[in-house]
């Protein structure tokens, strides 16, 4: 299975270094010197990492065969893709790969079905779960522990405890009716998606 681990930014200096936007929680493993990565667009790669370093808080990479600024600039916006065993999981039990979250059923803490996770959006502030609702609509749910207290991969479900207004009126009314029947609301630890 393929996993996007970074996006190449602009060239840095004149020797072929590029900045990268890291999209993995394991850059020391996925973006180490010697790693061979597929690319999107595929015509650019595969690329082999020759060297890496941090400069002013930003990861810089140099690839074999890319030795000047012009060649580095041609790589801008290229996605770097690592081949990953589909059964592999992140070391931290509170972290998940996107493919593990996609297609999970989403329910509220009282059991009301919201829909299924279609994708994970990785934004600068936080990750968002894009959920296809039962009625065909879409809702974006912040992937933080306060709102998503539980991910159960074995049961293939994500439990959400949304603040008022996040899911829309119909689901919140159903959730309110469930609360009137004395159901308890649970909480758990936070999760992060891998990038």
């Amino acid at each position: 299975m393929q996993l996007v681990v970074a996006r190449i930014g602009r060239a840095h200096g004149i020797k072929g270094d590029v900045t990268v936007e890291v999209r993995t929680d394991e850059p020391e493993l996925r973006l180490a010197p010697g790693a061979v990565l597929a690319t999107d667009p595929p015509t650019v790669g595969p690329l082999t990492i020759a060297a890496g370093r941090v400069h002013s808080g930003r990861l810089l990479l140099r690839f074999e065969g890319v030795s000047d600024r012009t060649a580095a600039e041609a790589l801008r916006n290229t996605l770097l893709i690592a081949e990953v065993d589909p059964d592999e999981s992140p070391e931290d039990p509170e972290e998940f790969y996107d493919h593990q979250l996609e297609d999970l059923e989403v329910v509220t803490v009282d059991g009301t079905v919201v829909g299924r996770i279609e994708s994970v959006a990785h934004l600068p502030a936080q990750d968002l779960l894009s959920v296809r609702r039962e009625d065909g609509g879409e809702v974006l749910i912040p992937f933080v522990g306060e709102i998503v207290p539980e991910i159960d991969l074995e049961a293939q479900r994500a439990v959400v405890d949304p603040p008022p207004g996040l899911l829309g009126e119909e689901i919140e009314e159903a959730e309110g009716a469930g609360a009137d029947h004395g159901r308890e609301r649970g909480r758990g630890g936070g999760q992060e998606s891998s990038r």
Side-chain angles (χ1 to χ4, degrees), residues 99-183:
H99 73 272
Q100 293 175 303
L101 300 171
E102 290 166 356
D103 204 37
L104 292 184
E105 180 180 49
V106 178
V107 298
T108 61
V109 291
D110 70 1
T112 304
V113 176
V114 177
R116 293 202 163 276
I117 298 174
E118 279 196 328
S119 63
V120 181
H122 302 284
L123 303 178
Q126 67 194 12
D127 294 340
L128 295 174
L129 302 176
S130 174
V131 177
R132 180 64 52 202
R133 295 173 50 157
E134 294 287 297
D135 65 6
E138 178 189 37
V139 63
L140 296 175
I141 299 176
F143 193 31
V144 294
E146 295 78 29
I147 299 173
V148 186
E150 181 183 343
I151 296 290
D152 186 342
L153 295 178
E154 288 185 25
Q156 289 290 290
R157 72 180 186 140
V159 177
V160 297
D161 189 6
L166 182 66
L167 300 180
E169 294 177 26
E170 316 89 39
I171 290 179
E172 288 175 7
E173 287 172 8
E175 185 178 81
D180 290 341
H181 290 96
R183 292 191 179 118

Side-chain angles (χ1 to χ4, degrees), residues 20 33 35 71 91 97 113 120 151 169 177 184-185 189:
V20 293
E91 289 181 17
Y97 291 132
V113 176
V120 181
I151 296 290
E169 294 177 26
E184 290 186 341
R185 304 183 105 181

